[in-house]
Structure formats: structure tokens, C-alpha cells
Amino acid sequence: MKRLKHVLTAMLMLWLAAGCKDAASSQQQQQEDARQHLETLIQPYLDQMQQIEHVIYSDTVLGREAEWELAKEYKQLADEMGNILKEQARENIGNEMGFLLVTQYLDPIDDAKLLDALIPQMPDDIRQREEVAAIEQQLEAGKAIEVGRIMADIVMNTPEGEPLSVMEEVKKNKLTIIHFWASWCGACRNEMALLKQLYAEHQPEGLGMVGISIDESAADWNRAIGELKLAWPQISDLKGWECDAARRFQIRSLPFIIVVDSNGRIVQKGLPAEELKQFIGRQLL
């Protein structure tokens, strides 16, 4: 919601400024028409989403089922509006609206394939702008961590303060699970029992694990390792979300799992623990 409003505000300011400079310009008129068309398309969605927000955050007591239904409706509206914005980005890729939708709405991670297709269609003077160049850099970084690519090594300290190379661990196993987690992450703690079971069952068959913590506090990190009785190697740079490995792998939520083979080639990523169990079972048959 916030991001969509930002797009509309930015576009409005751009076209108003352009209109002041050259109100008679046919190009500016086309841009203003495009802006109004986009606003007409998405305003009904914004209004409905705002109504849902008002109900959810008002003092009205809702049951869990009612909240769930409203949340589903909200997501559906957001998805439909997102599809409209993506289509408008396609239709306007040669002008300022396309530039704004590409740089302010489309996401280099979630919308990577669409951006890869759209950016080459931009006029040279727009594509050469800093904002577009930054997105292209992010897209290139994303390609380096796609399934099938060999990951770059990660070296961080263990709880004992000793540097550990992930690739050195990877070479010891047929498959290695790289598990991003944090002591404060409830979902991470909840899936540890399944990971411990998976590790115990398949370690004799060649499964390894390395945990990478997104913690900032060494005390919290060490305490969690002890409480959870984690038997596989653990490393962290204690930078929180500024963790170098998390930024490299473009991780935005925890837990997050990457599976690599003995050469460090990424064979799967982003699987929830239950699906991971099935995947590992098939791979180590």
C-alpha cells in the first residue's frame, strides 16, 4: 500500500513539474493522460484495501476466521492491482511512467524476470540513469545465486571466534544445507526439531549442515545454540540484517534454506522444512 501510494505521488509530482515547463507539449499531455488512466485503474483497489485496513485496525472485535477472510481479500486485491501496475510498466516502458514503475514498484528480487525483459526496451537516455543501473546490478547479483550456479565461499567466525569456510564444509558432503536463522526468530526455532531429525537420519548418507545466524548479540546466539542443542557448524558475522551472506543471497525473511552439492552448486533454495525433508530424501536415495 505504502509503495503504491509512493508511485502515484512521484508520478503526480513529475507530471505537474513537466506541465509547468511545457503545458502545451503533446508529449506531456500523453503522459498526463497515462497518469490519469493508471490512477483510474488502481484507485478502486486502493479504496477497497483502505476499507479493509480500517476494519482490521478499528476497535471492532473480529473473530479469527473473519480476520483470515479479510486478509485473503486484501491479498487478492493487492495481487490484482500489482498485475495492473506490471502491465502498465510493459505498456509505458518507453516513457517516464515506465521508468517510475520499474524503479519504484517492480522488485529486483520478486520481479527479476520481468525487469530483465523490460529494461532492454527502455530508451537509452532512460536506461542510462543511475536508478536503472542500480537495478541492473541487483539483477546481475541475483543471477549469481540462481539454482545451478556455484556459490561463492562464505567465511565467518564460529562461536569460538575461529574463521570457518562454508566451502570447506561443503566439500566434505554429498549435499549441504545452509540454514539462515536467528535466535529471536520463532519460526526458525520451530523448525529446528525437523532439521535435527533430518541431520541425524541423513548424515551417514552424506548430508551436512551449516547454520548462519543473523544475530547481532553473541550472547543470544550462543545461548540459542546451547538451548537448541545444534550439532552442526554455526557461523555469524553478528551484523544482523547487514550480514554479508544474507545480503549476497538477497534474504529478506527467516528461516531460509539453501542446498548445495559437494562442488558448491546450488541445487535448491527457499524450501520450507517439510518440503526440504522430502527433497533431501529423494536426492540421497
Side-chain angles (χ1 to χ4, degrees):
M1 185 80 169
K2 182 177 179 182
R3 183 169 63 167
L4 296 173
K5 286 183 176 179
H6 177 65
V7 172
L8 285 176
T9 302
M11 284 192 289
L12 181 59
M13 291 176 65
L14 174 72
W15 279 301
L16 284 176
C20 290
K21 291 179 181 178
D22 188 9
S25 166
S26 61
Q27 182 181 12
Q28 294 303 330
Q29 186 58 53
Q30 289 175 357
Q31 291 177 344
E32 174 61 17
D33 291 344
R35 184 197 66 78
Q36 291 182 1
H37 178 60
L38 175 60
E39 192 166 2
T40 299
L41 288 173
I42 70 171
Q43 192 60 53
Y45 292 94
L46 291 171
D47 291 342
Q48 291 179 69
M49 291 165 73
Q50 190 171 26
Q51 290 172 11
I52 293 172
E53 287 179 342
H54 177 72
V55 172
I56 291 175
Y57 296 113
S58 69
D59 295 332
T60 304
V61 177
L62 297 173
R64 181 172 296 180
E65 185 174 342
E67 286 187 359
W68 178 246
E69 289 301 318
L70 284 173
K72 287 198 297 184
E73 183 181 350
Y74 189 94
K75 183 180 185 304
Q76 182 177 347
L77 289 167
D79 289 345
E80 290 175 4
M81 183 167 58
N83 290 333
I84 290 173
L85 288 167
K86 289 174 184 178
E87 187 57 37
Q88 288 299 300
R90 292 186 185 95
E91 292 181 9
N92 292 279
I93 196 61
N95 58 42
E96 294 295 339
M97 177 185 280
F99 167 74
L100 283 165
L101 288 171
V102 162
T103 57
Q104 300 294 331
Y105 176 72
L106 297 183
D107 184 88
I109 297 175
D110 297 336
D111 303 312
K113 290 183 178 179
L114 178 57
L115 285 166
D116 268 332
L118 290 181
I119 288 177
Q121 300 176 40
M122 286 180 156
D124 289 343
D125 62 322
I126 293 180
R127 187 174 181 179
Q128 291 167 8
R129 294 177 186 174
E130 291 181 7
E131 297 91 334
V132 180
I135 291 172
E136 290 193 279
Q137 288 180 355
Q138 286 182 274
L139 292 173
E140 284 303 311
K143 291 172 185 175
I145 56 172
E146 290 177 347
V147 171
R149 302 292 291 268
I150 294 179
M151 61 169 280
D153 195 13
I154 298 169
V155 180
M156 292 181 186
N157 285 348
T158 65
E160 295 74 32
E162 297 295 327
L164 182 142
S165 161
V166 172
M167 286 299 288
E168 288 302 314
E169 292 297 314
V170 162
K171 292 175 184 177
K172 302 174 185 178
N173 312 302
K174 292 180 181 177
L175 288 179
T176 300
I177 295 170
I178 302 171
H179 181 231
F180 287 85
W181 70 289
S183 64
W184 43 261
C185 169
C188 301
R189 287 176 174 266
N190 290 340
E191 76 173 14
M192 284 301 185
L194 191 149
L195 290 177
K196 288 163 70 174
Q197 179 186 3
L198 192 63
Y199 187 62
E201 288 179 1
H202 293 288
Q203 186 187 22
E205 303 164 8
L207 177 67
M209 281 193 196
V210 177
I212 301 180
S213 170
I214 310 299
D215 276 284
E216 294 182 0
S217 166
D220 292 345
W221 176 39
N222 280 280
R223 188 181 305 112
I225 292 171
E227 290 172 351
L228 295 166
K229 297 180 174 59
L230 303 182
W232 51 89
Q234 299 290 329
I235 58 175
S236 179
D237 57 13
L238 297 175
K239 294 181 180 179
W241 283 110
E242 295 302 312
C243 169
D244 293 338
R247 289 170 64 87
R248 184 190 307 170
F249 281 97
Q250 301 180 340
I251 293 169
R252 295 176 169 178
S253 62
L254 297 176
F256 192 87
I257 286 171
I258 298 166
V259 184
V260 299
D261 66 14
S262 58
N263 297 312
R265 189 178 303 279
I266 300 169
V267 295
Q268 190 55 270
K269 63 178 184 176
L271 287 179
E274 238 355 287
E275 293 181 30
L276 175 70
K277 181 179 179 180
Q278 299 172 17
F279 177 79
I280 295 297
R282 291 194 300 267
Q283 295 296 310
L284 292 179
L285 283 177

